[in-house]
């Protein structure tokens, strides 16, 4: 279960990387060296201590890393002041607020000094949103070591496997992976050519990054069923292997009334479920869902859509005649309308009078033979 979301700061919550590069460029120019963006990319996500130690070594500088760090901070203040402050990453603060309202624990785990973290979060108006702040400068092992994220999880009171990290750098992504946490890689052009391939999901903008997105990223990564939506009496979940066994038995015993494609009946095994979770749920954002009773937790029925936008449903025998088919089907229709579908279909055999009555109740119109269509725009 996802309990906490941990944010990096530079490049995720504030657009600081370009300014920090400019400060470093000016400092190295003072010593007669050219400092390139390509060289700088390796330090994004890491600590100042590590960065200046490596720079002093690579450029054969006679000054200490501590002196370079102090001068670097002076240049940063100058560049930030010239720029008029640090720019926020668009919509990132809104995303933080949405997650807080949804009840998640939140933390900032940044390689920047603590005074910088606190100042920037206060300037963004989201300081109070976070349950914990940690600076990598206080730890011995910089990213890509996992220490900073493990430290954050411990102080939030959660297990690493209950956390999701948002990072914009290769070092940060690897630190999250090494910590055993789900990672969303934020693609920030100002962070340079960062290798985010180890991230579980990629994000190009925070504008529409709501709690549902982070739940989906977490559940699909760890392989647990995602809670999709609720109806009055039911909760819809993505299926897992146990649901698959229940569905298979129902399809065999009730094959004459099940309204999904016949070819699918032969495909239900563990590998099929893994592929279904990876490609159907992840790519299409819908599929066939298991509907569980809010009161008992028992699986009442299955309903949803195939890749041709055909509705399918089947109810356990003991729950039939209680309106569950209509409730699950209507809930499924409302959900796919919200994600952009404008028409759905239903195949009903002439002899299946119960499904024909349900089709009419849902608003489907016969378009020839056994096919029905519902416009939901």
């Amino acid at each position: 279960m996802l309990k906490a979301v941990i944010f990096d700061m530079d490049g995720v919550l504030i657009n600081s990387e370009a300014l920090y590069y400019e400060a470093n460029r000016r400092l190295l120019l003072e010593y007669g060296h050219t400092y390139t963006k390509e060289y700088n990319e390796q330090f994004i996500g890491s600590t100042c201590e590590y960065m200046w130690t490596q720079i002093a070594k690579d450029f054969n500088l006679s000054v200490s890393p501590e002196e370079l760090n102090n001068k670097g901070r002076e240049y940063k203040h100058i560049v930030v002041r010239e720029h008029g402050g640090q720019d926020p990453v668009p919509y990132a603060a809104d995303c933080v607020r949405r997650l807080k309202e949804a009840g998640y624990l939140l933390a900032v785990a940044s390689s920047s000094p603590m005074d910088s973290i606190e100042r920037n979060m206060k300037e963004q108006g989201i300081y109070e949103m976070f349950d914990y702040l940690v600076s990598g400068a206080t730890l011995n092992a910089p990213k890509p070591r996992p220490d900073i994220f493990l430290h954050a999880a411990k102080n939030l009171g959660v297990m690493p496997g209950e956390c999701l990290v948002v990072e914009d750098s290769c070092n940060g992504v690897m630190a999250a992976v090494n910590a055993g946490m789900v990672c969303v890689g934020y693609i920030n052009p100002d962070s340079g050519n960062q290798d985010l391939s180890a991230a579980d999901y990629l994000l190009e903008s925070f504008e529409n990054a709501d709690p549902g997105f982070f739940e989906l990223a977490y559940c699909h990564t760890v392989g647990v069923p995602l809670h999709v939506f609720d109806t009055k009496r039911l909760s819809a979940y993505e299926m897992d292997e146990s649901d698959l066994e229940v569905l298979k038995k129902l399809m065999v015993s009730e094959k004459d009334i099940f309204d999904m494609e016949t070819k699918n009946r032969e495909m239900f095994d563990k590998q099929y479920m893994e592929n279904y979770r990876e490609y159907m749920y992840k790519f299409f954002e819908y599929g066939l869902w298991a509907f569980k009773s809010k009161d008992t937790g028992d699986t009442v029925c299955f309903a949803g859509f195939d890749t041709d936008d055909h509705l399918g449903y089947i109810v356990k025998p003991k729950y039939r005649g209680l309106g569950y088919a209509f409730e699950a089907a209507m809930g499924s229709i409302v959900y796919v309308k919200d994600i952009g579908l404008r028409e759905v279909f239903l195949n009903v055999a002439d002899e299946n009078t119960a499904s024909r009555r349900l089709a009419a109740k849902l608003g489907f119109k016969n378009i020839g033979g056994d096919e029905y269509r519902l416009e939901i725009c």
Side-chain angles (χ1 to χ4, degrees):
M1 178 180 178
L2 177 60
K3 295 182 178 180
V5 180
I6 304 173
F7 288 87
D8 178 36
M9 183 180 71
D10 298 300
V12 173
L13 298 175
I14 58 170
N15 259 330
S16 56
E17 300 297 356
L19 301 183
Y20 290 173
Y21 159 72
E22 175 60 18
N24 290 359
R25 187 193 69 80
R26 293 186 189 183
L27 174 55
L28 267 294
L29 190 62
E30 179 182 322
Y31 291 96
H33 296 285
T34 299
Y35 188 85
T36 66
K37 290 183 178 180
E38 291 73 21
Y39 176 80
N40 182 69
E41 286 172 0
Q42 66 183 299
F43 302 121
I44 295 177
S46 192
T47 62
C48 292
E49 180 182 3
Y50 170 78
M51 177 181 70
W52 292 121
T53 299
Q54 192 64 40
I55 288 174
K57 177 181 177 182
D58 291 345
F59 289 92
N60 196 26
L61 300 178
S62 58
V63 293
S64 68
E66 291 76 17
E67 184 176 347
L68 288 172
N69 185 45
N70 291 334
K71 284 190 174 184
R73 294 192 72 171
E74 292 175 4
Y75 273 108
K76 285 178 185 177
H77 291 318
I78 293 170
V79 172
V80 169
R81 186 168 60 251
E82 290 176 353
H83 186 74
Q86 305 264 31
D87 292 331
V89 169
Y91 306 107
D94 294 332
C95 176
V96 169
R97 294 186 183 97
R98 289 192 290 264
L99 288 168
K100 190 64 177 179
E101 290 173 1
Y104 294 98
L105 295 169
L106 301 180
V108 174
S110 170
S111 297
S112 290
M114 182 59 76
D115 62 341
S116 176
I117 298 172
E118 293 179 341
R119 183 181 65 255
N120 281 293
M121 294 306 94
K122 289 176 180 177
E123 288 178 355
Q124 299 303 318
I126 54 176
Y127 178 80
E128 300 297 334
M129 300 289 104
F130 293 101
D131 301 282
Y132 190 68
L133 307 175
V134 55
S135 166
T138 65
L139 304 174
N140 293 324
K143 303 172 186 177
R145 291 278 297 276
D147 300 49
I148 190 169
F149 294 129
L150 295 175
H151 180 84
K154 181 179 179 180
N155 282 273
L156 288 172
V158 297
M159 300 297 292
E162 297 171 326
C163 299
L164 181 148
V165 173
V166 186
E167 268 284 359
D168 70 312
S169 70
C170 178
N171 286 326
V173 168
M174 292 310 304
V177 171
N178 292 335
M181 299 178 180
V182 175
C183 184
V184 169
Y186 172 58
I187 304 172
N188 189 336
D190 288 334
S191 298
N193 185 28
Q194 295 293 314
D195 180 5
L196 305 180
S197 59
D200 300 295
Y201 270 72
L202 295 177
L203 181 66
E204 292 184 338
S205 172
F206 285 100
E207 183 173 9
N208 298 312
D210 60 8
F213 166 77
F214 292 100
E215 278 287 344
L216 183 147
Y218 177 84
C219 290
H220 284 187
T221 299
V222 303
V224 300
L226 172 70
H227 173 238
V228 186
F229 60 87
D230 287 322
T231 64
K232 182 179 180 180
R233 297 175 293 174
L234 303 170
S235 292
Y237 288 87
E238 295 178 346
M239 293 190 300
D240 62 11
E241 285 75 11
S242 63
D243 295 313
L244 204 60
E245 290 302 313
V246 175
L247 178 59
K248 183 160 54 176
K249 292 176 182 178
L250 278 173
M251 292 176 75
V252 170
S253 63
E254 307 289 342
K255 62 181 180 179
D256 57 326
I257 68 166
F258 188 67
D259 297 309
M260 290 293 278
E261 296 181 25
T262 303
K263 64 181 181 181
N264 285 342
R265 296 179 189 145
E266 303 172 354
M267 300 172 63
F268 287 96
D269 56 23
K270 183 176 181 180
Q271 186 60 52
Y272 175 79
M273 188 70 258
E274 291 177 357
N275 292 339
Y276 200 80
R277 183 181 294 115
E278 176 68 19
Y279 299 109
M280 189 68 185
Y281 289 146
K282 185 174 181 178
F283 183 77
F284 287 95
E285 297 185 44
Y286 60 85
L288 192 66
W289 298 298
F291 286 78
K292 302 182 186 296
S293 168
K294 290 181 178 179
D295 292 333
T296 66
D298 185 31
T299 299
V300 172
C301 60
F302 297 89
F305 295 88
D306 64 14
T307 54
D308 294 321
D309 302 333
H310 280 74
L311 174 66
Y313 52 87
I314 188 168
V315 181
K316 282 184 176 180
K318 70 176 182 178
Y319 292 111
R320 290 176 188 163
L322 301 174
Y324 284 114
F326 176 81
E327 187 173 332
M330 181 57 75
S332 300
I333 291 167
V334 170
Y335 177 84
V336 295
K337 176 184 178 181
D338 289 343
I339 65 172
L341 262 65
R342 292 296 173 255
E343 61 178 5
V344 293
F345 301 89
L346 177 65
N347 289 104
V348 184
D350 287 340
E351 63 272 20
N352 190 346
T353 56
S355 286
R356 283 195 285 111
R357 286 197 299 268
L358 181 58
K361 187 176 180 181
L362 291 167
F364 281 87
K365 305 296 182 183
N366 184 266
I367 56 175
D370 65 355
E371 186 154 26
Y372 292 72
R373 181 179 66 193
L374 172 66
E375 294 184 9
I376 56 176
C377 57

